[in-house]
Amino acid sequence: MKHFLNFINGDFVATDKTFENRAPVNNQVIGLVHEAGQAEVDAAVKAARAALKGEWGQMSVVKRVELLYAVADEINRRFDDFLAAELADTGKPRSLASHIDIPRGAANFKVFADIVKNVPTESFQMATPDGGTAVSYGVRSPLGVVAVICPWNLPLLLMTWKVGPALACGNTVIVKPSEETPATATLLGEVMKKVGIPDGVYNVVHGFGPNSAGEFLTKHPGVNGITFTGETRTGETIMAAAAKGVRPVSFELGGKNAGIVFADADFDKAVAGITRSCFENCGQVCLGTERVYVQRPIFDRFVAALKEKAEGLKVGPSDMPGVGLGPLISAEHKQKVLGYYAKAKAEGAMVVTGGGVPDMQGEFANGHFVQATIWTGLPETASVVREEIFGPCCHIAPFDTEAEVIAMANATDYGLATTIWTQDLGRAHRMANAIEVGLCWINSWFLRDLRTAFGGAKGSGIGREGGVHSLEFYTELRNVMIKY
Ligand code: NAD
């Protein structure tokens, strides 16, 4: 039985309070997680504060960048360990984790090391009222101790997307991974130790949200800022905690993303793109599509084509050849998703495909598998059209005009992402301007350049991560004005 320990001040720390970590593919216990209490969180904050004043705080940018490159190289050297840990925790297809989760997890350290090494700050010269001259320039210093609160859907990737820039900017971090996926954050502790990141710079505390490590950490007065990816409702709670001490937050929250397909789109590419955006990672991607709008002339043909794709997805564990749909993360999440499947029927949906659980054999019958599901025929007010489900499902509705589909796509409190399919360049630009989201993909989905801004509008987030945008949160920009 594996034990997932906290990582505090360079040491792995056990506690006497543990909880089970279960594999989503068969619901078997694969490890025990050592829950951090107030004492462990206090110790992690103390270590992180001390590290800011120690060797790490004095280190040159060049040396810091070298260390972050070493972190990325060591993750790549231990690629198979990280991959195995992520697969055990999430049950996602091996092809997905080996192409996205682990390589991107490593790349995040190099990308932000390069940005911090090369980014300029502003400088202005001006005339002063007395006829003299003054010059001002910006200096960036670290924010301090950063709490990093992570979800379970892309554990290593989303965690390093925060830890990479935080460390590159000279901060120290305390990571609270999701209680569902403790493994890769713990493994990263070994990597940090091995490459010589000073003790206290990277810490991990395990546990839940309320009355556990998450709450203790976000309420801790020794934490200077909180970066969080997860549900919008959790974001509201964390924001209230951050109000005490007026501490900054960076939030990547939920979504109810629209996918829009115009009649002039390249049909096959649009079907393939929407298949990915609806069903990749078993629908557990914040950027995923749960509302599809298809222009009326191609509506019936598109529904039939997406149905065929959904039914063609092989359901199974990570290593099954050709697997396209893994399990949901937990029994609890499966209940939630199946609850929405029932609600869709109760609200009068036409079930195009799916709507239940697949017939799994042997140990996998206990896994958290659900069918890829497509509905049509619901009004825009239906629960499954309004609320984030975070499962492999979508509702498809027809539309006639650009104005109509813009109104439907924007009629939500969320504003994370969209994927739009059209071959009309003018229309693509008009749509990109009109849609209220942080991320707008045209004829693509989840295509990422790590130098660009990433984040959500409206209820989907606060702030932007990626490229130089990450510096806004992870540094304090000081202006120095010199009169001469
Ligand atoms: P969640 O909000 O339930 O949990 C996220 C993390 O917050 C976990 O580590 C959890 O333990 C912690 N937490 C919960 N309550 C807390 C509290 N009161 N104080 C401090 N910490 C607390 O989210 P989840 O179920 O892990 O992830 C799925 C959600 O994340 C979806 O809504 C999805 O859209 C969103 N998400 C958004 C993005 C994005 O980039 N916008 C990316 C991935 C996931």
Side-chain angles (χ1 to χ4, degrees):
M1 177 79 66
K2 279 207 174 97
H3 282 254
F4 298 105
L5 306 186
N6 302 284
F7 186 67
I8 300 170
N9 205 22
D11 291 322
F12 284 97
V13 177
T15 63
D16 47 21
K17 202 171 167 196
T18 58
F19 59 92
E20 289 173 344
N21 179 27
R22 287 174 181 268
V25 291
N26 55 16
N27 205 29
Q28 276 167 18
V29 179
I30 50 174
L32 289 177
V33 189
H34 289 244
E35 185 177 353
Q38 186 70 55
E40 287 76 26
V41 171
D42 285 347
V45 173
K46 193 171 163 212
R49 295 222 71 80
L52 282 174
K53 301 273 175 227
E55 183 194 354
W56 181 250
Q58 311 301 321
M59 196 176 280
S60 69
V61 173
V62 172
K63 175 72 184 155
R64 217 159 63 208
V65 161
E66 263 175 36
L67 279 177
L68 294 182
Y69 260 68
V71 170
D73 290 341
E74 181 65 9
I75 294 174
N76 283 327
R77 198 185 65 77
R78 295 191 61 185
F79 193 94
D80 292 345
D81 296 341
F82 275 92
L83 184 58
E86 208 73 307
L87 293 180
D89 265 359
T90 63
K92 63 177 72 184
R94 176 178 289 269
S95 57
L96 189 63
S98 62
H99 282 96
I100 295 187
D101 298 62
I102 312 303
R104 270 280 308 278
N108 284 336
F109 286 98
K110 289 193 178 175
V111 166
F112 288 105
D114 288 345
I115 285 166
V116 165
K117 196 164 131 187
N118 295 310
V119 74
T121 54
E122 62 190 14
S123 174
F124 297 99
Q125 184 171 300
M126 71 171 200
T128 57
D130 62 1
T133 309
V135 68
S136 63
Y137 61 89
V139 179
R140 289 195 182 273
S141 48
L143 178 61
V145 174
V146 179
V148 179
I149 315 280
C150 306
W152 44 257
N153 58 333
L154 298 149
L156 181 72
L157 187 158
L158 291 175
M159 187 253 294
T160 54
W161 181 238
K162 296 172 182 303
V163 172
L167 297 191
C169 291
N171 298 284
T172 57
V173 297
I174 303 161
V175 175
K176 210 298 278 169
S178 168
E179 53 274 32
E180 307 288 355
T181 52
T184 45
T186 312
L187 208 47
L188 190 58
E190 292 178 19
V191 167
M192 297 286 175
K193 190 100 189 154
K194 168 92 188 291
V195 306
I197 296 281
D199 293 347
V201 171
Y202 173 83
N203 306 275
V204 180
V205 291
H206 289 298
F208 304 86
N211 200 27
S212 182
E215 181 181 329
F216 302 149
L217 185 57
T218 50
K219 285 193 171 166
H220 204 293
V223 166
N224 298 103
I226 303 161
T227 176
F228 166 73
T229 298
E231 278 189 34
T232 299
R233 235 174 317 135
T234 312
E236 288 171 352
T237 307
I238 292 178
M239 200 164 176
K244 181 97 180 147
V246 205
R247 293 166 305 151
V249 293
S250 168
F251 282 173
E252 304 288 358
L253 307 176
K256 186 71 185 178
N257 309 307
I260 301 172
V261 185
F262 285 93
D264 66 42
D266 179 317
F267 187 83
D268 293 342
K269 285 185 182 157
V271 171
I274 297 286
T275 302
R276 273 190 68 218
S277 73
C278 290
F279 304 122
E280 192 153 279
N281 208 31
C282 200
Q284 304 167 117
V285 181
C286 53
L287 313 163
T289 305
E290 290 187 356
R291 297 183 290 150
V292 183
Y293 299 100
V294 179
Q295 212 166 16
R296 206 172 301 273
I298 59 163
F299 182 78
D300 290 340
R301 193 173 148 225
F302 189 91
V303 172
L306 201 68
K307 172 183 193 292
E308 196 184 325
K309 288 280 190 195
E311 290 173 355
L313 289 169
K314 265 190 163 180
V315 185
S318 311
D319 281 322
M320 192 174 87
V323 63
L325 203 67
L328 293 169
I329 191 72
S330 64
E332 191 191 348
H333 191 48
K334 182 178 177 184
Q335 278 318 106
K336 177 184 160 183
V337 172
L338 290 178
Y340 276 109
Y341 283 14
K343 225 179 219 179
K345 271 193 205 154
E347 288 183 324
M350 153 87 186
V351 182
V352 176
T353 187
V357 291
D359 186 18
M360 303 301 288
Q361 301 301 313
E363 58 172 316
F364 304 124
N366 299 320
H368 311 312
F369 296 94
V370 296
Q371 288 176 322
T373 296
I374 300 172
W375 306 288
T376 56
L378 285 171
E380 290 295 292
T381 49
S383 316
V384 300
V385 183
R386 302 247 59 81
E387 297 165 21
E388 182 184 50
I389 302 169
F390 224 53
C393 53
C394 66
H395 178 258
I396 318 184
F399 72 91
D400 293 298
T401 66
E402 264 180 51
E404 183 192 3
V405 77
I406 288 167
M408 288 198 287
N410 285 343
T412 166
D413 293 335
Y414 292 112
L416 188 53
T418 189
T419 171
I420 298 171
W421 296 81
T422 176
Q423 297 196 76
D424 178 332
L425 193 58
R427 167 174 281 159
H429 286 296
R430 282 195 300 277
M431 290 299 295
N433 272 296
I435 210 99
E436 297 163 354
V437 292
L439 297 153
C440 175
W441 277 288
I442 310 275
N443 297 332
S444 58
W445 176 74
F446 210 165
L447 182 62
R448 286 283 300 136
D449 179 331
L450 304 186
R451 297 168 298 182
T452 62
F454 180 96
K458 304 201 289 195
S460 290
I462 296 178
R464 292 292 181 271
E465 300 185 291
V468 294
H469 308 286
S470 289
L471 271 55
E472 302 267 318
F473 177 73
Y474 293 108
T475 63
E476 287 288 0
L477 181 59
R478 179 182 317 129
N479 184 260
V480 180
M481 173 72 83
I482 305 176
K483 186 168 185 299
Y484 62 92

